[in-house]
């Protein structure tokens, strides 16, 4: 027999819980249902009390009584529905997905079942939206569990790897990895799960994936940790970079062939100035062709980038607050990635325009150029609290717009790569034999002498995007501009002791005075 006071006391406690709670006797009779259970199943107290628990279970789960008997035979807390969908039934016979936790509870002389019921309809809806987003992604998306088994793929994965998804789900992810990586991959996966964080694979080294037919292709892979109620996962976004690799190889072969031809032609035409001039003209035309190729390729890349960024931001605005934190984070990663790619394309265009869109040289007052640059950089200067000063600067003969690019990049670097101290940047000029030497000195983090030549190469970076944003083109543009002006550029620096960038421009003090 049940003591009325005992049940009433339990009811009073469970009414304050935020989840539905139901106490079931060994016979399947509902002894207690709290207010949340009444609201969830749309029954009143009298309708639930004394009814069978099967009232709340869809008819297709006819084996429930047997499961209850099994639970009472080995009573211990456990969840229901792990690894499969579980549904409950309301008074109006409508069904909804649930998660149920079972706990044994001694009432009187009998062991009862205390069930907590959570309506996961909203979670299921968001999971479906997440699956739809992954399914429509333009890159291959593969989700892997802690054991390395594939639990989710999208249509692009099927197309890229040549598998039907039924042949991938539940299989070890090594099915997509060349055999030579198979021994080290499990350890790498364990390392990721031990310290989960978003990261890129294949940057700075060659990385390959394997298709169903055994052929391999180069890839870049973005890894993102996913924490779900049923465990931790890693979501891999896989990009096939075959075309990029082919383009890089083609450009490299073209440069090598160009250098070979120039070398042969230079040796052949030694002492024959007229033929050497024709060879130089041909080289300049080839360089212009390469510059035009870079310009057109970069320009044409901007339209799809705008589409990706635009639609992703539209998705963010239209569904703000309706995704979970993970989905919002993924959308922001897409936006950040497209914005970075847009910056890269923009800087590549700027690099290609140094010669192709150059202006004739004229008198350029570096004092005015400096003041213009400070007005452009004002938001960054104010944000960093930077102090930017200059001495009297000369008037030189050159392209003022391009010289502004140089000062903007060098001053901007001094602000970006700052130390814990207030950024202080000073621009000065000194007179050398037939040239001006312009210096831009900062008190930033400095650069190791081993890397001081490499930083002027295009796309060369010494830091990750997470540490310092950028594309690695700014200093390459500086060197190209200064070379066009007949000068040279270099750096004097030590780690932790700031940096001084120096560049030369042709000119004399007398010419400056006359101007």
């Amino acid at each position: 027999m049940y003591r009325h006071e005992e049940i009433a006391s339990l009811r009073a406690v469970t009414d304050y819980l935020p989840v539905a709670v139901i106490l079931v006797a060994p016979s399947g009779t509902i002894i207690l249902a709290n207010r949340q259970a009444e609201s969830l199943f749309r029954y009143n107290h009298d309708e639930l009390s004394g009814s069978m628990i099967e009232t709340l279970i869809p008819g297709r789960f006819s084996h429930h009584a047997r499961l209850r008997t099994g639970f009472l035979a080995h009573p211990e807390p456990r969840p229901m529905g792990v690894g499969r969908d579980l549904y409950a039934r309301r008074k109006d016979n409508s069904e909804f997905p649930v998660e149920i936790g079972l706990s044994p509870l001694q009432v009187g002389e009998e062991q009862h079942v205390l069930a907590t019921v959570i309506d996961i309809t909203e979670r299921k809806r968001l999971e479906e939206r997440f699956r739809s987003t992954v399914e429509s992604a333009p890159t291959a998306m593969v989700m892997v569990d802690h054991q390395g088994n594939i639990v989710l793929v999208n249509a692009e994965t099927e197309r890229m790897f040549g598998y039907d998804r039924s042949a991938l789900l539940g299989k070890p992810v090594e099915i997509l990895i060349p055999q030579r990586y198979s021994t080290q991959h499990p350890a790498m996966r364990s390392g990721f799960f031990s310290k989960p964080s978003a990261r890129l694979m294949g940057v700075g080294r060659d990385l390959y994936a394997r298709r169903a037919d055994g052929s391999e292709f180069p890839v870049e892979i973005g890894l993102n940790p996913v924490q779900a109620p049923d465990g931790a996962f890693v979501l891999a976004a896989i990009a096939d970079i075959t075309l990029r690799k082919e383009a890089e190889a083609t450009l490299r072969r073209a440069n090598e062939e160009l250098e070979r031809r120039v070398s042969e032609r230079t040796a052949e035409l030694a002492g024959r100035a007229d033929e050497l001039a024709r060879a130089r003209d041909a080289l300049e035309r080839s360089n212009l062709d390469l510059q035009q190729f870079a310009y057109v390729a970069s320009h044409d890349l901007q339209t799809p980038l705008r589409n990706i960024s635009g639609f992703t931001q539209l998705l963010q605005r239209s569904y703000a607050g309706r995704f979970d934190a993970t989905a919002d984070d993924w959308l922001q990663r897409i936006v950040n990635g497209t914005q970075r790619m847009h910056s890269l394309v923009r800087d590549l265009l700027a690099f290609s325009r140094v010669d192709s869109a150059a202006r004739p040289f004229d008198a350029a007052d570096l004092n005015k150029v400096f003041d213009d640059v400070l007005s452009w950089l004002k938001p960054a200067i104010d944000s960093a609290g930077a102090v930017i000063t200059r001495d009297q600067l000369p008037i030189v003969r050159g392209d003022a717009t391009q010289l502004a690019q140089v000062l903007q990049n060098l001053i901007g670097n001094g602000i970006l790569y700052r130390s814990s101290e207030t950024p202080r940047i000073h621009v000065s000029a000194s007179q050398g034999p037939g040239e001006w030497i312009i210096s831009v000195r900062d008190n930033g983090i400095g650069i190791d002498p081993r890397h001081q030549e490499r930083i002027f190469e295009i796309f060369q970076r010494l830091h990750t995007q997470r540490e310092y944003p950028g594309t690695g083109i700014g200093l390459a543009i500086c060197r190209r501009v200064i070379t066009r002006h007949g000068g040279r550029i270099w750096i004097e620096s030590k780690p932790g002791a700031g940096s001084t960038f120096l560049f030369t421009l042709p000119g004399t003090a007398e010419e400056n005075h006359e101007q």
Side-chain angles (χ1 to χ4, degrees):
M1 293 296 293
Y2 303 112
R3 290 188 298 173
H4 177 75
E5 296 81 2
E6 187 177 3
I7 299 301
S9 177
L10 184 58
R11 163 83 184 199
V13 171
T14 58
D15 275 347
Y16 289 98
L17 295 178
V19 297
V21 177
I22 300 173
L23 180 63
V24 182
S27 63
T29 304
I30 297 175
I31 305 303
L32 176 148
N34 69 348
R35 291 177 182 174
Q36 286 72 22
E38 295 171 12
S39 174
L40 182 61
F41 289 94
R42 301 174 185 172
Y43 286 95
N44 61 41
H45 178 267
D46 293 336
E47 290 172 324
L48 284 176
S49 182
S51 62
M52 297 297 292
I53 189 62
E54 280 74 20
T55 304
L56 308 181
I57 300 173
R60 62 183 179 278
F61 299 116
S62 57
H63 58 296
H64 182 265
R66 177 170 50 81
L67 294 175
R68 183 174 64 254
T69 302
F71 174 81
L72 291 173
H74 303 282
E76 59 181 21
R78 69 186 69 168
M80 284 183 66
V82 176
R84 63 188 181 91
D85 290 335
L86 194 63
Y87 287 84
R89 180 173 61 185
R90 299 187 182 93
K91 183 178 180 180
D92 61 5
N93 286 323
S94 61
E95 298 182 7
F96 59 100
V98 292
E99 281 186 355
I100 300 177
L102 302 180
S103 297
L105 181 66
Q106 189 76 24
V107 179
E109 298 179 355
E110 291 184 310
Q111 192 76 263
H112 288 56
V113 182
L114 188 67
T116 57
V117 185
I118 300 175
D119 181 355
I120 59 170
T121 301
E122 182 63 16
R123 185 199 303 171
K124 286 288 186 181
R125 186 182 66 81
L126 291 176
E127 286 177 357
E128 183 58 35
R129 182 168 292 172
F130 163 71
R131 288 177 179 273
S132 298
T133 301
V134 169
E135 183 64 28
S136 59
T139 56
M141 306 292 282
V142 179
M143 183 177 283
V144 178
D145 64 16
H146 198 281
Q147 289 72 39
N149 297 318
I150 298 172
V151 299
L152 178 68
V153 298
N154 65 348
E156 181 62 16
T157 302
E158 295 180 288
R159 186 203 65 77
M160 184 181 294
F161 287 89
Y163 282 101
D164 183 84
R165 71 183 62 197
S166 62
L168 292 174
L169 295 177
K171 299 296 192 302
V173 71
E174 281 77 15
I175 193 174
L176 306 178
I177 299 172
Q179 190 67 32
R180 61 184 178 279
Y181 301 146
S182 58
T183 56
Q184 55 184 320
H185 188 263
M188 295 174 64
R189 184 176 65 253
S190 297
F192 177 87
F193 278 106
S194 65
K195 295 182 179 179
S197 63
R199 64 190 71 172
L200 286 176
M201 293 179 63
V203 177
R205 66 184 186 91
D206 290 337
L207 189 66
Y208 288 84
R210 181 177 61 183
R211 299 186 182 93
D213 61 7
S215 61
E216 299 181 5
F217 60 102
V219 293
E220 281 185 357
I221 303 176
L223 301 181
N224 289 279
V226 177
Q227 190 64 43
D230 51 344
F233 300 87
V234 56
L235 182 65
I238 306 170
D240 181 350
I241 60 172
T242 300
L243 293 179
R244 187 205 303 174
K245 287 287 187 181
E246 291 175 351
E248 290 174 354
T250 299
L251 188 58
R252 183 170 58 253
R253 288 194 296 269
N255 284 333
E256 291 172 353
E257 177 64 16
L258 185 60
E259 291 175 0
R260 185 187 66 78
R261 290 183 180 182
V262 170
S263 177
E264 292 177 353
R265 193 63 171 163
T266 300
E268 179 184 341
L269 298 178
R272 299 163 59 185
D274 54 339
E275 293 186 27
L276 185 59
R278 287 196 295 271
R280 185 172 58 250
D281 291 341
L283 177 59
E284 290 174 353
R285 286 194 299 272
S286 296
N287 283 334
L288 288 174
D289 288 342
L290 288 174
Q291 292 164 16
Q292 187 64 20
F293 168 78
Y295 175 85
V296 172
S298 301
H299 184 274
D300 290 348
L301 282 172
Q302 293 190 86
T303 298
L305 283 175
R306 292 192 194 100
N307 289 339
I308 294 172
S309 180
F311 279 110
T312 303
Q313 292 179 29
L314 181 61
L315 186 62
Q316 283 182 309
R317 291 193 297 270
S318 300
Y319 291 87
R322 297 168 65 180
F323 293 121
D324 58 12
T326 300
D328 289 338
D329 181 57
W330 290 340
L331 289 174
Q332 189 59 50
R333 289 177 189 276
I334 296 173
V335 172
N336 293 345
T338 53
Q339 288 174 346
R340 168 162 163 69
M341 188 64 178
H342 183 75
S343 298
L344 189 64
V345 171
R346 183 189 62 231
D347 289 350
L348 186 57
L349 280 170
F351 184 78
S352 68
R353 286 171 172 160
V354 170
D355 293 321
S356 62
R359 299 178 180 178
F361 287 1
D362 201 351
D365 186 347
L366 294 185
N367 300 285
K368 183 178 184 307
V369 169
F370 174 94
D371 294 339
D372 289 341
V373 167
L374 255 59
S375 67
W376 302 338
L377 293 175
K378 188 176 187 306
I381 294 172
D382 292 345
S383 175
V387 179
I388 318 295
T389 57
R390 67 169 172 85
D391 292 341
Q392 183 66 26
L393 301 176
I395 299 173
V396 298
R397 189 161 187 81
D399 184 334
T401 299
Q402 291 190 341
L403 294 175
Q405 280 183 286
V406 173
L407 284 182
Q408 182 177 359
N409 277 315
L410 298 182
I411 294 174
N413 279 353
I415 297 172
L416 176 62
Y417 297 98
R418 58 183 179 270
S419 65
S420 59
E421 301 177 2
T422 298
R424 297 184 181 277
I425 302 166
H426 184 71
V427 181
S428 60
S430 61
Q431 181 69 48
E435 64 183 10
W436 287 101
I437 303 173
I438 313 299
S439 69
V440 180
R441 186 180 72 251
D442 65 57
N443 63 341
I445 61 175
I447 299 174
D448 192 304
R450 294 175 300 171
H451 306 308
Q452 290 178 5
E453 181 61 28
R454 183 161 67 92
I455 61 174
F456 293 100
E457 300 293 337
I458 189 169
F459 298 134
Q460 293 296 312
R461 291 174 48 80
L462 305 182
H463 307 276
T464 66
Q465 280 291 321
R466 187 183 297 274
E467 294 173 307
Y468 298 99
T471 59
I473 297 181
L475 291 178
I477 291 176
C478 290
R479 183 167 71 174
R480 193 164 185 177
V481 168
I482 297 305
T483 300
R484 177 178 178 247
H485 282 71
R488 63 192 188 282
I489 184 170
W490 69 99
I491 181 176
E492 296 174 354
S493 179
K494 292 181 179 179
S499 302
T500 301
F501 284 89
L502 303 102
F503 60 91
T504 63
L505 295 171
T508 64
E510 291 74 19
E511 290 174 346
N512 192 65
H513 180 72
E514 291 173 1
Q515 292 175 335

